[in-house]
Amino acid sequence: MRGGLTEARPTTPVRGTVQAATTAAAVLAALALVVSACAAGGTGARDEGPARGDAAVGAATASPSAAPTEASDRVDAVRLVKEDPAVSAEVKRELKPCAGDEYPVDVSYGALTGGSGNDIVVNVLTCGDAIGVGSYVYRKRDGRYENVFKAEESPVYAELDRGALVVTKQVYEKGDPVSSPSGENVTTYRWASDRFVEEYSWHNDYSSVVGGDGSTESEGG
């Protein structure tokens, strides 16, 4: 203190320092928010509302559905079998609802014949034991499906395997219960010259051990 007067202190540099510190803190806070949002996999304010719809559209455009079957390819397999003159009357009698309107049919779609659309493999089963009583392949031609393969030697089951048709027929020895066949005959078919041609065939003997799942494979054709 000089002469009873308080010496004035310069204030501008201090105010500038405070403002600089405040600005730096704000920048750091903003950076922290950005880093936090990135770490959480978010997109800031666009995590809510219409942004989800935008993300879904983008994902659908960039990643097409892995399902091999278009909705337009799906058919009423029960009606297809019932109206097919190549299907035996016995199989059609078996094709009835098991409960409510649920029919015992397995249906697969895929490329087997190189036709204008997906081919359809239909297996008709029994309600009680799910035993295959008929297997069919339908090929699309001129806007309609035609029967190009059938197997009705029960028990039988057909399926697609990497462009091939694989037909399995279980073998029962005398005294075998329905749930425990003695073996199976397996045949693989390929489409050639407008028909399915046998490619391979083999036989498997099932294990007779209770609860066992082993099998002995014989030589195939």
Side-chain angles (χ1 to χ4, degrees):
M1 177 178 296
R2 295 178 182 177
L5 297 176
T6 302
E7 183 178 356
R9 300 290 183 180
T11 58
T12 303
V14 175
R15 187 179 298 113
T17 301
V18 172
Q19 290 176 345
T22 302
T23 302
V27 172
L28 289 175
L31 289 174
L33 288 174
V34 172
V35 171
S36 176
C38 292
T43 56
R46 297 197 62 191
D47 275 351
E48 297 179 353
R52 292 189 179 182
D54 296 341
V57 171
T61 302
S63 302
S65 173
T69 305
E70 298 292 337
S72 59
D73 287 331
R74 295 193 177 279
V75 300
D76 184 345
V78 174
R79 180 178 179 181
L80 192 63
V81 171
K82 284 186 173 183
E83 294 181 353
D84 184 358
V87 177
S88 69
E90 182 179 356
V91 171
K92 290 181 180 180
R93 283 195 300 270
E94 289 285 349
L95 188 52
K96 55 188 178 183
C98 297
D101 58 353
E102 296 294 327
Y103 284 83
V105 294
D106 286 347
V107 186
S108 300
Y109 300 82
L112 283 173
T113 69
S116 58
N118 278 326
D119 300 299
I120 305 173
V121 179
V122 181
N123 287 284
V124 179
L125 314 171
T126 61
C127 286
D129 302 307
I131 294 176
V133 296
S135 299
Y136 311 93
V137 178
Y138 293 93
R139 183 174 191 253
K140 193 172 186 179
R141 175 180 291 176
D142 297 330
R144 58 183 298 273
Y145 287 95
E146 61 178 0
N147 188 323
V148 292
F149 179 90
K150 75 172 183 176
E152 296 180 332
E153 299 81 11
S154 181
V156 62
Y157 197 88
E159 54 192 334
L160 297 90
D161 184 8
R162 291 166 292 185
L165 176 67
V166 180
V167 179
T168 302
K169 298 179 181 179
Q170 293 179 322
V171 177
Y172 289 87
E173 300 293 344
K174 186 176 181 180
D176 286 344
V178 173
S179 60
S180 301
S182 293
E184 64 182 9
N185 295 322
V186 184
T187 306
T188 299
Y189 297 89
R190 292 279 183 184
W191 184 258
S193 302
D194 288 331
R195 66 189 182 94
F196 281 104
V197 178
E198 181 178 325
E199 186 175 35
Y200 304 108
S201 65
W202 63 92
H203 174 81
N204 293 329
D205 282 329
Y206 296 152
S207 172
S208 59
V209 179
V210 176
D213 58 358
S215 63
T216 302
E217 183 177 317
S218 66
E219 293 184 1

